Amino acid sequence: MKSLISGMVVVAVMMALLLPAVSSAQALEECQDPPGNNEIAALIVKAVEAVRPILSNGIPELGIPPLDPLGPLPNIAFHIDVPRLRMDGLLNETVVRHISEFIICQLNFTLGITEKLELDIRLEDFRIDGYYDVDGLALSLFPVFGNGNFSLDVYEAAVGGGAKISYNPLSDHASIKDLHLDINFDRLVLVMECILGCGDMSDLINGLIDEIAPVVFDAVWGVIDPILTSALENGINDILKNISISDIITLTQTKEKDIGNGNGFVDLVMESVDSHIVSSGMDPGPVPNATLNFGLGTAALYGGQLSGLSTMHRDGLATIDKVADWVFLYANVAVENLQMEYDAVVKATSEVSGVQISANVERVALYLVARYDLYTNTADIDQFIITEFGKIDVNIEGLGVLGYVLEPLADVVTNLIHEDVANILETTGKEYLQEALNETPWP
Ligand SMILES: *[C@@H]1O[C@H](CO)[C@@H](O)[C@H](O)[C@H]1NC(C)=O
Ligand SMILES: *[C@@H]1O[C@H](CO)[C@@H](O)[C@H](O)[C@H]1NC(C)=O
Ligand SMILES: *[C@@H]1O[C@H](CO)[C@@H](O)[C@H](O)[C@H]1NC(C)=O
Ligand SMILES: *[C@@H]1O[C@H](CO)[C@@H](O)[C@H](O)[C@H]1NC(C)=O
Ligand SMILES: *[C@@H]1O[C@H](CO)[C@@H](O)[C@H](O)[C@H]1NC(C)=O
């Protein structure tokens, strides 16, 4: 077969097939003017437009390869198996051109609980070309084969994109992640030079080309989609790195004026947290058993109880700030004089049971950042972290003949108490806080 083709090339003028394969005709919505839905979106649009001239060189610092032309791509295999046609194909030296001639039709940068980026990018005509090699059977009867240059024009493409936005209130910067792109187009025009040996039989191929074009397109898109997605995601994140969100969309004025404006609210929230702690039996509340190795021996701690958790309170000024669709709360909270008690069995040179361990934790302070979405009326805790862990005094009684292990035992008990208290505050304490933030009306 193949040698027959080469023979025919000599005599036949190269035969090109040029046929439209309508694939996803759609009525595209008009583009918006301006394309950005707010000032941040407008900045992103402007910055993306600004990099257009350098797309042919790529942006090596951001790991963005040259995008126009994009390629040559690695060899791309495709396979068609429909009733009219079975075909295996391979593309090589594939290059995508005119990608940089995009238009940003719309870009929505939506803050709030939805936190999403939506993109609508249009490309009037971009071209994929390279070298193809196919072999197949049409209508279970006619061999379809050939190799040569090919080109595939994609007309009126619309690339829709979606990504999640995460906003870090401390750094005041946003970034996007999980960007995905979907492409639709009006028309594909596939030219495969010299298919079937540059000779006749074009009617057969005419009938088949609209089976081939979308498969070739999908195979190529499968390769370029991740390249474009990561270029766009990296590019947009680089732009966002430079934008302090609240500089642009703060609704309230200077912070100084508002310092302390969250005090009343946090007092109510902490009251509610404290009463949740009491009503759910957490003051005093149980602490897990533990077995400690203190070098000279081991101690089994049981019957642990923590008291005082329900005295958590605001510590200093709390501030409320509005950014876009959110209300942010920044506060310090603290709890003092927590009491921990355990019974223990201590084993060293002998075994002593009925050992009494008690401890006092002077103070634990935490920093809280929470956020309330004005649209969905839901609260989220962005941060609830321990910023200060005060002195722990441990008292151990009943060691009897094991009195000599007091010091090493007290050391490991101190570590255990630190861990247990931190853990309880950051899990159980945080759960109660979440409930209280949901239940207390935000200012
Ligand atoms: C592309 O494929 C053709 C036909 O198989 C081959 O002659 C050519 O060397 C290939 N080019 C590359 C860069 O692999
Ligand atoms: C952007 O938001 C507007 C208004 O909510 C909406 O009509 C439009 O479809 C959105 N654009 C994209 C690309 O999702
Ligand atoms: C195929 O494409 C290559 C690269 O564009 C070009 O150099 C070559 O002349 C083309 N071959 C034919 C037969 O047109
Ligand atoms: C970042 O912002 C600074 C100051 O506004 C500006 O000078 C710089 O060019 C910006 N960089 C980028 C990559 O936009
Ligand atoms: C803790 O230890 C005590 C004494 O050994 C035992 O009775 C109790 O069941 C243990 N509790 C758990 C949750 O393992």
Side-chain angles (χ1 to χ4, degrees):
M1 281 296 173
K2 302 270 157 123
S3 58
L4 175 69
I5 301 164
S6 340
M8 291 179 75
V9 172
V10 180
V11 283
V13 178
M14 187 166 53
M15 167 77 201
L17 291 150
L18 199 157
L19 290 151
V22 176
S23 197
S24 62
Q26 52 166 356
L28 287 178
E29 277 176 39
E30 292 280 301
C31 288
Q32 304 282 317
D33 187 28
N37 72 330
N38 59 30
E39 277 182 72
I40 295 175
L43 283 173
I44 297 172
V45 171
K46 231 167 94 187
V48 172
E49 294 279 1
V51 299
R52 186 194 303 279
I54 60 169
L55 284 187
S56 53
N57 300 322
I59 309 173
E61 313 88 271
L62 300 182
I64 297 176
L67 292 179
D68 195 3
L70 169 55
L73 303 174
N75 291 359
I76 299 171
F78 64 92
H79 182 69
I80 300 172
D81 194 349
V82 294
R84 298 166 63 206
L85 179 65
R86 294 183 51 124
M87 175 182 272
D88 288 309
L90 192 66
L91 308 177
N92 72 7
E93 294 167 49
T94 306
V95 173
V96 183
R97 299 175 202 278
H98 309 309
I99 289 264
S100 67
E101 289 162 27
F102 62 86
I103 294 164
I104 299 182
C105 181
Q106 189 159 27
L107 191 150
N108 291 348
F109 188 91
T110 311
L111 293 172
I113 217 88
T114 41
E115 291 178 20
K116 65 177 185 226
L117 174 86
E118 295 163 311
L119 268 172
D120 178 354
I121 293 176
R122 304 288 170 84
L123 276 160
E124 210 169 288
D125 173 12
F126 72 97
R127 166 171 280 215
I128 300 163
D129 59 42
Y131 193 89
Y132 79 91
D133 191 340
V134 296
D135 196 2
L137 198 62
L139 308 172
S140 308
L141 190 58
F142 305 105
V144 179
F145 50 87
N147 56 54
N149 285 353
F150 81 94
S151 69
L152 175 60
D153 280 281
V154 184
Y155 290 105
E156 309 295 341
V159 179
K164 291 183 198 147
I165 298 177
S166 41
Y167 171 63
N168 180 338
L170 284 193
S171 66
D172 196 28
H173 286 108
S175 60
I176 64 166
K177 59 178 181 185
D178 301 340
L179 177 66
H180 62 87
L181 299 177
D182 293 309
I183 184 164
N184 286 296
F185 42 79
D186 182 56
R187 207 152 38 95
L188 293 176
V189 175
L190 176 61
V191 177
M192 297 172 95
E193 287 177 349
C194 266
I195 192 162
L196 296 184
C198 317
D200 283 337
M201 290 187 75
S202 59
D203 284 351
L204 172 63
I205 289 294
N206 282 356
L208 295 174
I209 202 90
D210 57 357
E211 307 275 15
I212 303 173
V215 176
V216 168
F217 176 81
D218 285 347
V220 175
W221 181 253
V223 174
I224 62 176
D225 178 9
I227 300 173
L228 298 179
T229 301
S230 109
L232 202 53
E233 186 167 309
N234 293 349
I236 290 177
N237 277 334
D238 194 57
I239 296 161
L240 286 170
K241 232 190 270 170
N242 218 15
I243 301 178
S244 290
I245 300 293
S246 65
D247 283 356
I248 297 165
I249 50 170
T250 298
L251 302 181
T252 51
Q253 347 42 47
T254 58
K255 286 221 167 110
E256 271 123 61
K257 194 179 112 212
D258 294 327
I259 279 187
N261 66 349
N263 290 359
F265 173 62
V266 173
D267 288 342
L268 285 175
V269 168
M270 296 323 289
E271 220 172 89
S272 164
V273 167
D274 291 343
S275 77
H276 273 298
I277 289 175
V278 172
S279 65
S280 50
M282 291 297 291
D283 193 5
V287 179
N289 289 353
T291 302
L292 300 175
N293 186 328
F294 52 89
L296 299 175
T298 59
L301 276 59
Y302 61 96
Q305 277 211 329
L306 177 67
S307 321
L309 208 56
S310 70
T311 60
M312 218 187 306
H313 56 86
R314 173 170 61 81
D315 187 47
L317 300 175
T319 297
I320 283 194
D321 194 14
K322 287 191 178 153
V323 179
D325 309 330
W326 298 325
V327 181
F328 278 97
L329 170 68
Y330 306 87
N332 293 290
V333 300
V335 62
E336 279 99 16
N337 292 318
L338 292 172
Q339 306 291 323
M340 188 74 106
E341 276 169 29
Y342 289 105
D343 294 323
V345 178
V346 181
K347 272 188 223 168
T349 42
S350 55
E351 179 173 316
V352 176
S353 56
V355 175
Q356 305 285 309
I357 300 177
S358 61
N360 181 73
V361 181
E362 188 187 33
R363 166 183 159 86
V364 185
L366 298 103
Y367 180 60
L368 162 67
V369 179
R371 178 166 48 106
Y372 187 75
D373 187 279
L374 291 168
Y375 283 132
T376 57
N377 299 329
T378 49
D380 270 319
I381 298 175
D382 287 320
Q383 287 198 57
F384 188 57
I385 50 170
I386 292 176
T387 50
E388 183 191 336
F389 207 106
K391 201 151 96 6
I392 303 175
D393 283 322
V394 177
N395 183 41
I396 301 177
E397 280 173 24
L399 277 175
V401 295
L402 293 183
Y404 69 97
V405 306
L406 178 62
E407 236 177 78
L409 177 58
D411 283 348
V412 290
V413 167
T414 303
N415 290 340
L416 174 73
I417 290 174
H418 188 141
E419 237 172 68
D420 276 350
V421 169
N423 193 27
I424 288 172
L425 284 168
E426 286 175 350
T427 58
T428 316
K430 189 173 173 183
E431 273 167 39
Y432 294 136
L433 180 64
Q434 178 70 61
E435 282 175 41
L437 288 170
N438 288 342
E439 288 166 7
T440 313
W442 282 60

